[in-house]
Amino acid sequence: MKKSLAVIFGIFLLYVLISGCSNQNMISNKEKKEINVYNWGEYIDIDLLDQFYKETGIKVNYSTFVSNEDLYTKLKFEDITYDVIIPSDYMIDRMIHEGMLEKLDFKNIPNFSFIRDDLKKPEYDKTGEYSVPYAWGVVGIIYNKIKVTDPVDSWNI
């Protein structure tokens, strides 16, 4: 339950935080109580969108992409906007330099103060004005040494 609420809060927080679209579109979405979210595939349980709607009255129009390049192409060359996008670090950097992201209004992000200081101004957003950490962690391979005898030296294992 805590994990579900954290994800729901995360979606709502991201709605308030990040915008890759025009202010006019955001205003109309607020009036309609809808947000457009563009995220990596399978990052959240789609059932949480219904739960989020029941708890907030805000409908989430949720789209997914399979690569940062797909996200970039869609936003750069198609007439489409999103209220929340979740690209990876290098793509955030690129989109900042190309003027594709709006600066965040931290008055609307009161819980930003709870984010670790070392995550607030990452290398790809040195001023910390365009992005907020969505997830943080490390990736590794866990294996049983008895069953895996080949050297574990790449993801191909």
Side-chain angles (χ1 to χ4, degrees):
M1 179 66 175
K2 286 183 181 180
K3 189 174 182 179
S4 296
L5 290 177
V7 171
I8 290 170
F9 173 75
I11 292 171
F12 181 73
L13 179 63
L14 287 170
Y15 164 65
V16 176
L17 304 181
I18 302 172
S19 174
C21 60
S22 69
N23 285 333
Q24 182 180 8
N25 190 46
M26 285 191 66
I27 291 168
S28 65
N29 282 340
K30 284 182 184 178
E31 291 169 2
K32 292 188 294 186
K33 291 201 171 203
E34 290 185 12
I35 58 171
N36 299 313
V37 177
Y38 200 29
N39 195 2
W40 292 89
E42 300 182 20
Y43 259 45
I44 68 164
D45 181 348
I46 299 302
D47 292 337
L48 291 175
L49 302 179
D50 292 331
Q51 185 178 346
F52 182 78
Y53 177 75
K54 288 175 187 171
E55 292 183 19
T56 67
I58 299 169
K59 180 182 178 209
V60 178
N61 300 312
Y62 191 75
S63 301
T64 61
F65 55 90
V66 296
S67 72
N68 281 302
E69 290 68 29
D70 287 346
L71 167 137
Y72 176 83
T73 301
K74 188 170 193 171
L75 295 177
K76 185 77 172 183
F77 300 108
E78 294 182 24
D79 187 25
I80 190 164
T81 57
Y82 289 93
D83 302 297
V84 178
I85 59 171
I86 299 97
S88 297
D89 53 1
Y90 75 92
M91 190 55 67
I92 293 171
D93 182 50
R94 180 178 184 179
M95 294 173 80
I96 290 170
H97 285 92
E98 293 186 22
M100 294 176 68
L101 301 178
E102 293 182 17
K103 290 183 180 181
L104 301 173
D105 182 353
F106 287 93
K107 291 182 284 187
N108 295 325
I109 312 169
N111 288 334
F112 186 72
S113 64
F114 298 113
I115 294 175
R116 286 182 12 196
D117 287 339
D118 62 322
L119 299 175
K120 289 183 178 179
K121 293 183 181 179
E123 188 66 29
Y124 53 87
D125 181 7
K126 292 181 183 184
T127 63
E129 297 175 292
Y130 296 92
S131 65
V132 172
Y134 171 68
W136 182 88
V138 294
V139 178
I141 299 174
I142 299 172
Y143 64 97
N144 184 332
K145 288 182 180 182
I146 296 168
K147 296 192 182 230
V148 178
T149 56
D150 293 339
V152 180
D153 57 4
S154 75
W155 290 112
N156 291 330
I157 192 65

